[in-house]
Amino acid sequence: AAQVPQVPKAIHFADMTLRLNEQARREIQADVDALYRNSAYFQIKLDRVNLYMPTVERVLQEQGVPTDLKYLVIQESSLIADAVSTSNAVGFWQFKKGTAEEVFLRVDGQIDERKNIVSSTKGAALYLKKHQSHLDNWACALVSYQMGLGGARNYFKDRYRGQRVMDIDRNSHWYLKKFLAHKVAFEGQLGKLVSNGDYLHEYPVNGPTTLAALARELGVSETHLKEFNKWTSNGKIPGDRPYTVAYIRKNPAPERPLLVSNNLENNSAIYEKAGAFPVITGNTREAHEPGAIKINGRRGVKATRTVSLAEFSEQTGIRKNRIRRLNDLKKSDKIVAGKYYYTQRKKGKAQVKEHVVRPGETLWEISQLYGIRLHSLKAKNRIYNDADIRPGMVLLLQEYRGRNEGIRYRQPAAPTTPAPREKAPDRINPVPASQAPPLLTEGPEETKPSVISHKIQAGETLYALSRKYKVSVDEIRAWNNLDNESILSIGQVIIIKNY
């Protein structure tokens, strides 16, 4: 039997240090002891943890959430896909239906993404990040997962906002102490081979297809796929969005360390492609006016002066937090004269396949260059810090770099800063088709009404409206002065802009 770990006086969690007094240590230790009491049951749970945890860690990291939050999924469901609570919360991360839809999970008679380890973890990350943006304390955000944002605000007030050291005692919230018990209990047990040699594999799928067809393709039984993919009730996978199918293989080869190629390719074609971006279309003479131009096919605006986010918000009439979120900016970042900024959400992939890093470039600059979301760029390349990129490194902009795939390099060209190539409204894009694929057109905007009114029907949610009109939930909230806790009512009229 594994030796029961002892609760220390201080626990490092996310970006924080939690200091425990003696009574808090005894309470948490009692929970740790209880988790270890039945060694056979603990081993069964530990096998599930080590089976699913690599996927949970990867998704949290891609979404910018501290990986320490991974212990929460053990606390919530013991990593049982179809777990159901007494309050009818379902799945790995225990979402109720309404909350699941607010974090873009599909829940209906055919698909329940709460039971999909990839989708539900992404939803939990979005939920936690949203609460962290209000509470500015990961321990408080953790508690808000149980009691909701409003409850956490009332409970904590501003007592711990921005604090990175907390004292845990008898009065600290029970949910946080229960979480710390799971962290202490499992932290030293992670990364071990599952006792029966199982290894979870992820298989991205664009439907429509069926588990029966995938079973033949993957060389496993349909029954096996149904066991590990309870999120599809009838074995059918629709084509409305990408899904991830999970399946098991035995005794995989150990993951090889990433190999960095020393054979640099002397090829400047990709640099020439980079010089064609960003592609600016629309009324470039009025580029400083919101709505006048598009940047790589997304609405945007050009800054005329170097100003703060607040000043830029006043100039453009766009909320400060929205500008920051759409452009992956930090709160302290300034708007720089001559730079282009997006006023519409960037895409999950670029219009070209790859980019060769230039000297001095940052991941943020590359994401802005091609109109790809920063977290998507990082996730595709499994690179999360500017310190890890080098001149000549080939970054993928459409596909994901495989877990065992080495990083490619090309000989870097002389460092230059190409000006964006602006395209006048009536001119043909001067970039050769072989160098830059044509922009994906969205249809003539003049045929679309600027504002429509939508009357809420029974069962409709903000998420459903965002899917129908191809806008974000946040945009709908902003246009209709709805806060995060607003509830839609039948017959209510919702305004949709730029449809």
Side-chain angles (χ1 to χ4, degrees), residues 385-418:
N385 299 296
D386 290 331
D388 296 329
I389 61 174
R390 301 286 184 273
M393 182 181 287
V394 179
L395 297 184
L396 302 182
L397 304 177
Q398 293 181 349
E399 305 297 329
Y400 284 85
R401 181 162 62 83
R403 188 170 286 190
N404 296 325
E405 182 183 347
I407 301 172
R408 293 185 293 120
Y409 277 71
R410 282 188 170 88
Q411 183 65 46
T416 58
T417 307

Side-chain angles (χ1 to χ4, degrees), residues 329-445:
L329 295 170
K330 299 175 183 176
K331 291 181 179 180
S332 58
D333 285 342
K334 286 189 173 294
I335 299 297
V336 178
K339 297 286 187 182
Y340 290 88
Y341 294 89
Y342 295 89
T343 60
Q344 184 181 7
R345 193 182 188 209
K346 293 186 285 185
K347 298 180 180 180
K349 61 174 65 175
Q351 297 166 16
V352 291
K353 291 184 177 181
E354 52 192 36
H355 172 83
V356 178
V357 177
R358 298 174 181 272
E361 274 187 323
T362 66
L363 291 167
W364 178 82
E365 289 170 338
I366 296 166
S367 74
Q368 290 290 101
L369 184 67
Y370 294 101
I372 179 175
R373 295 190 287 275
L374 181 59
H375 73 81
S376 294
L377 175 65
K378 291 178 177 179
K380 289 181 191 304
N381 294 278
R382 302 168 69 86
I383 295 174
Y384 300 95
N385 299 296
D386 290 331
D388 296 329
I389 61 174
R390 301 286 184 273
M393 182 181 287
V394 179
L395 297 184
L396 302 182
L397 304 177
Q398 293 181 349
E399 305 297 329
Y400 284 85
R401 181 162 62 83
R403 188 170 286 190
N404 296 325
E405 182 183 347
I407 301 172
R408 293 185 293 120
Y409 277 71
R410 282 188 170 88
Q411 183 65 46
T416 58
T417 307
R421 188 166 299 181
E422 297 186 351
K423 176 186 165 189
D426 300 325
R427 295 191 176 188
I428 298 175
N429 189 342
V431 183
S434 61
Q435 294 185 11
L439 286 172
L440 298 174
T441 59
E442 300 180 358
E445 293 190 16

Side-chain angles (χ1 to χ4, degrees), residues 4-11 18-37 167-170 172-185:
V4 180
Q6 300 301 297
V7 179
K9 293 181 179 180
I11 296 177
L18 308 181
R19 301 183 301 202
L20 284 60
N21 72 2
E22 193 56 36
Q23 183 169 354
R25 287 177 65 196
R26 287 197 300 269
E27 287 182 46
I28 296 170
Q29 188 66 59
D31 285 335
V32 174
D33 294 343
L35 289 168
Y36 274 77
R37 188 163 295 135
D167 291 317
I168 308 300
D169 55 30
R170 63 187 298 270
S172 298
H173 199 279
W174 66 268
Y175 190 76
L176 175 58
K177 287 186 279 192
K178 183 74 73 175
F179 169 85
L180 295 177
H182 282 81
K183 176 176 165 63
V184 171

Side-chain angles (χ1 to χ4, degrees), residues 45 47-63 69-83 90-95 103 105-106 111-126 145 199-204 225-232 242-248 403:
K45 183 183 289 190
D47 278 348
R48 281 199 303 270
V49 168
N50 278 319
L51 186 68
Y52 285 107
M53 202 52 76
T55 295
V56 173
E57 288 178 335
R58 176 184 61 78
V59 175
L60 291 178
Q61 192 172 40
E62 289 174 0
Q63 296 297 318
L69 273 297
K70 63 193 175 190
Y71 302 103
L72 184 57
V73 72
I74 310 174
Q75 178 178 346
E76 284 292 323
S77 71
S78 296
L79 283 158
I80 297 172
D82 53 356
V90 174
F92 287 104
W93 289 88
Q94 293 289 278
F95 280 111
V103 292
L105 300 182
R106 177 174 171 177
I111 299 294
D112 190 342
E113 287 191 287
R114 296 175 293 181
K115 302 175 185 179
N116 182 303
I117 187 62
V118 174
S119 301
S120 63
T121 302
K122 190 177 295 184
L126 293 174
Y145 197 87
Y199 186 87
L200 187 75
H201 287 253
E202 303 169 31
Y203 191 73
L225 289 188
K226 286 182 176 179
E227 180 183 355
F228 288 94
N229 296 277
K230 295 179 179 178
W231 50 272
T232 168
Y243 293 94
T244 299
V245 170
Y247 67 104
I248 300 297
R403 188 170 286 190

Side-chain angles (χ1 to χ4, degrees), residues 85-360:
S85 74
T86 55
S87 61
N88 207 32
V90 174
F92 287 104
W93 289 88
Q94 293 289 278
F95 280 111
K96 293 184 179 179
K97 186 176 186 295
T99 308
E101 291 176 340
E102 291 296 325
V103 292
F104 309 106
L105 300 182
R106 177 174 171 177
V107 180
D108 54 37
Q110 182 181 356
I111 299 294
D112 190 342
E113 287 191 287
R114 296 175 293 181
K115 302 175 185 179
N116 182 303
I117 187 62
V118 174
S119 301
S120 63
T121 302
K122 190 177 295 184
L126 293 174
Y127 189 80
L128 288 163
K129 280 199 301 185
K130 171 187 170 184
H131 290 199
Q132 167 67 1
S133 69
H134 290 277
L135 300 168
D136 193 19
N137 183 297
W138 280 111
C140 297
L142 176 88
V143 173
S144 75
Y145 197 87
Q146 187 271 335
M147 63 191 319
L149 181 58
R153 279 172 160 170
N154 291 333
Y155 183 82
F156 291 111
K157 307 300 182 184
D158 287 327
R159 181 180 176 187
Y160 297 112
R161 181 179 297 277
Q163 292 194 22
R164 298 298 175 257
V165 177
M166 283 179 66
D167 291 317
I168 308 300
D169 55 30
R170 63 187 298 270
N171 296 317
S172 298
H173 199 279
W174 66 268
Y175 190 76
L176 175 58
K177 287 186 279 192
K178 183 74 73 175
F179 169 85
L180 295 177
H182 282 81
K183 176 176 165 63
V184 171
F186 287 94
E187 193 165 31
Q189 301 290 333
L190 298 184
K192 297 181 180 180
L193 185 65
V194 177
S195 61
N196 59 5
D198 285 351
Y199 186 87
L200 187 75
H201 287 253
E202 303 169 31
Y203 191 73
V205 174
N206 285 305
T209 187
T210 65
L211 291 182
L214 291 174
R216 293 189 293 271
E217 184 175 340
L218 297 173
V220 298
S221 70
E222 183 181 358
T223 301
H224 175 88
L225 289 188
K226 286 182 176 179
E227 180 183 355
F228 288 94
N229 296 277
K230 295 179 179 178
W231 50 272
T232 168
S233 61
N234 56 10
K236 295 180 180 179
I237 301 174
D240 62 318
R241 64 174 75 179
Y243 293 94
T244 299
V245 170
Y247 67 104
I248 300 297
R249 281 183 178 167
K250 298 285 186 181
N251 300 319
E255 183 176 340
R256 300 188 302 272
L258 291 176
L259 301 176
V260 178
S261 171
N262 291 320
N263 298 320
L264 302 181
E265 305 172 27
N266 190 2
N267 187 339
S268 62
I270 295 183
Y271 280 101
E272 294 172 8
K273 282 185 183 180
F277 287 86
V279 176
I280 310 301
T281 58
N283 185 0
T284 56
R285 291 183 294 273
E286 302 292 334
H288 60 284
E289 293 290 341
I293 62 168
K294 287 190 173 183
I295 312 167
N296 299 320
R298 315 307 282 171
R299 292 190 295 273
V301 64
K302 185 176 183 179
T304 57
R305 295 188 298 120
T306 298
V307 294
S308 67
L309 279 166
E311 291 174 294
F312 195 62
S313 173
E314 291 182 6
Q315 292 174 13
T316 59
I318 303 170
R319 289 180 295 125
K320 179 178 68 174
N321 287 339
R322 177 169 172 75
I323 294 170
R324 184 166 63 85
R325 186 175 63 253
L326 293 177
N327 293 276
D328 301 302
L329 295 170
K330 299 175 183 176
K331 291 181 179 180
S332 58
D333 285 342
K334 286 189 173 294
I335 299 297
V336 178
K339 297 286 187 182
Y340 290 88
Y341 294 89
Y342 295 89
T343 60
Q344 184 181 7
R345 193 182 188 209
K346 293 186 285 185
K347 298 180 180 180
K349 61 174 65 175
Q351 297 166 16
V352 291
K353 291 184 177 181
E354 52 192 36
H355 172 83
V356 178
V357 177
R358 298 174 181 272

